[in-house]
Amino acid sequence: MMGIKWNELLITGDPLILGSQIAILLTMIGIVGGITYLKKWRWLWSEWLTTVDHKRIGIMYIIAAVLMFFRGGIDGLMMKAQTARPEMEFLNAQHYNEVFTTHGVIMILFMAMPLLIGIMNVIIPLQIGARDVAFPQLNALSFWLFFSGAMLFNISFVIGGSPDAGWTSYFPLAGKEFSPSIANNYYAIALQIAGIGTLISGINFVVTILKMRTKGMTLMKMPMFTWTSFIASVIIVAAFPILTVALALMTTDRLYGTHFFTVSGGGMDMLWANLFWLWGHPEVYILILPAFGIYSEIFATFSRKSLFGYKSMIFSIVAIAILSMVVWVHHFYTMGSGPAVNSIFSITTMAIAVPTGIKIFNWLFTMRKGRIKMTTPMLWALAFIPCFIIGGVTGVMLGMGAADFQYHNTLFLVAHFHYTIIPGVVFAVFAALYYWWPKMFGFMLNEKIGKWHFWLFVIGFNVTFMPMFFLGLDGAVRRSYTYSVESGFAPLFLLSAIGSAVLALGFAAFCYNIYWSARYADRNISSDPWDARTLEWSTASPVQFYNFAKQPEVTTLDPFWHMKKKNEGLTLKDSEIEEIHMPSNSGLPIFMGAVFSVAGFFLVFEWHIAAVVAAVGIIAGLIIRSFDYDEGYHVKKDEIKKIESTWRNVEGEVHNDVS
Amino acid sequence: MEKIMKGFPLSHVIGFVFSLILTFGAAGIALKTDLSFKVIMWIIGSLAIMQAGIQLFMFMHLREGEDGKTNVLNILYGVFMAVVIVAGSIWVLSSGHAH
Ligand code: HEM
Ligand SMILES: [Cu+2]
């Protein structure tokens, strides 16, 4: 273990970081002390940390991701504060680099991805009438690998130094030559660990959706959210291995002196950009497709009509999936690949607008002549359409290779992708949380606070990012920590900063809503409070651990709607109850996550021997798992009967809600 | 099993004959002609791909069984990904003014 510079381990000398270090320490002491005081360790361990229940894993994903949203959001606000006035001295150039890098990585990989994967986890098995995902224990492993990667990345700024080469981490800047400190190792290794978790999730969902659907649910009777999540999972399986390989090559370049991307050794720096975007572009469609599915469910439910153009929706998402693999060069037209390459990729890029447009029209037609209910989830869905169209149209502008030379690397681009990703993913996630909250927790989020949340967030969002289009057109470059008075950028930057404060208030309203509703919301609600259409609403809220006492049989699209209309399949006779086979909890996934964190940490610090020793734990985990003959357990009929009787008799049950 | 025992295994014989032709063809072109190295590589590379296709369809029962369609789809998907990633990268990185 030579060459450890102990004095460089903890970052010192910056008051902001010192403050964070103290805050982190105090929070950790607070959490550990609190759990010990309340004697909740055993409960935490057996109910949550070792769970293999897809709903609980989903909820853990969502909690972790909302915390990451908080962290990434603070980063965003810090950047907005720094650029609020010309020549501000709040963050210096280096610190600004670190902040936009961690902001980008955390928002995309540790906020957006896990939030969507969390929602997919909770909802997909319910929508297809299954009792769990195909590989429940593997599912827990996915979560713990994501968590391990996220934590590793998050400690970087207090221990060892934050990565600072942008969320794209382009070579040559990201290589040892120009970034000699260990900071960028965090990027390579934390993303690798989390990426493996995501890849496993993708495989798990593909198998779940193909193999676990309940009787009668053919592919063409699947709810749209399940469809879009399925296609997103297929893209995960296609694209994430590219990231795995690219990060592995980056790791060997940085740690072991290879020259895949290192120019001085004859490597190709642009090969990194090429591989990064071969993964990176499909990645944005992995994010947007499940979100499209969420909107489809919400438009159908609150227009009280089935989704318009179901088949053309599926055609569009498959087309988007294929096209998403062949557009990656639009991220580096300015590399100068020549007119043939740039033209072809301009055409493929603009072609994606066609299936996306089809989807927008389908949503509009779904609402046409519907009896629309203006609930909070519906508001998010409605706001999504105009905002996302602005993002899409500016995307087509950027997609034209020749024009992109003007916009490239300006705040115009930054405004564009925030206009796609925030309405596309963040609005969708908020809509989904309001919509499915009662399914997850058995009470609803407050609608009135929800509307405050909605208006503050949407107005704040537009005021923050709309000015950035014009700043970009005026020549303000991205990733620049300051600007001069003479540039004339000051008024728009100030406006944008004010917008971000309103945005933050919106997020605060959301947090307050969770707090308020957890304390005061009515617990005696129907299991189908929105009068919805798909199978997840046909069972209890919160959902019992085995999901369905009797797996429903499906004959149409929107099966639950038709069950309610025909008053069929809603009751459960005692004679229909059978024992249910469930998987047992396991401590192995969290153990694996911990070992991966430790090994990853050593690798970041280039303590190779220690890393190898820790990696033995990974092998040990695999061996233990392969000798694990636990077959799960059976839920007895009496217990099922008891659990079912708790919700089937309550007043305001499914049966009364049919209009 | 039974199905295989009955009838003349026509497709296997055709596959076998083609494999032989392709193998000896490749060897002949590589050893017995005066073509340039580049041309030889292109020809035997193409023959190899044809050979792989024949093996898959004639001997590895790609289309048989209940998963036949899925197998074909998976292979197409794999080929598509490989072409996009490998050929695409080479094309993108080797065209333009840098070369
Ligand atoms: C909470 C509100 C948000 C604010 C105030 C915000 C603000 C910013 C700012 C100021 C920048 C850097 C501009 C520059 O180049 O100087 C930035 C970059 C970025 N943001 Fe956000 N953002 C927010 C939300 C998000 C979300 C939700 C995502 C993704 C899911 C996201 C992804 C990114 C990415 C990928 C970058 C590029 C980082 C880089 O240049 O390497 N942001 N954001
Ligand atoms: Cu792209």
Side-chain angles (χ1 to χ4, degrees), chain A residues 5 93 127 131 134 309-310 382 393 395 408 424 452 465 595-596 600 659:
Chain A
K5 300 190 189 96
Q127 281 199 331
R131 293 214 167 102
Y310 178 82
L382 287 172
V393 169
H408 188 74
W452 275 99
F465 292 102
V595 180
F596 264 96
S659 51

Side-chain angles (χ1 to χ4, degrees), chain A residues 338-417:
Chain A
V341 172
N342 281 6
S343 313
I344 296 282
F345 280 91
S346 297
I347 292 168
T348 52
T349 301
M350 286 185 276
I352 289 201
V354 176
T356 314
I358 294 178
K359 298 184 75 76
I360 302 250
F361 280 110
N362 280 339
W363 290 316
L364 295 178
F365 280 119
T366 304
M367 287 188 285
R368 185 167 172 268
K369 291 196 177 164
R371 279 167 292 145
I372 295 177
K373 279 198 201 158
M374 285 294 178
T375 58
T376 310
M378 188 64 173
L379 285 180
W380 289 109
L382 287 172
F384 151 76
I385 289 185
C387 294
F388 189 76
I389 287 176
I390 297 176
V393 169
T394 52
V396 175
M397 291 166 70
L398 286 157
M400 291 180 280
D404 181 57
F405 278 71
Q406 292 299 315
Y407 312 127
H408 188 74
N409 259 352
T410 66
L411 290 182
F412 186 86
L413 166 79
V414 177
H416 150 71
F417 69 69

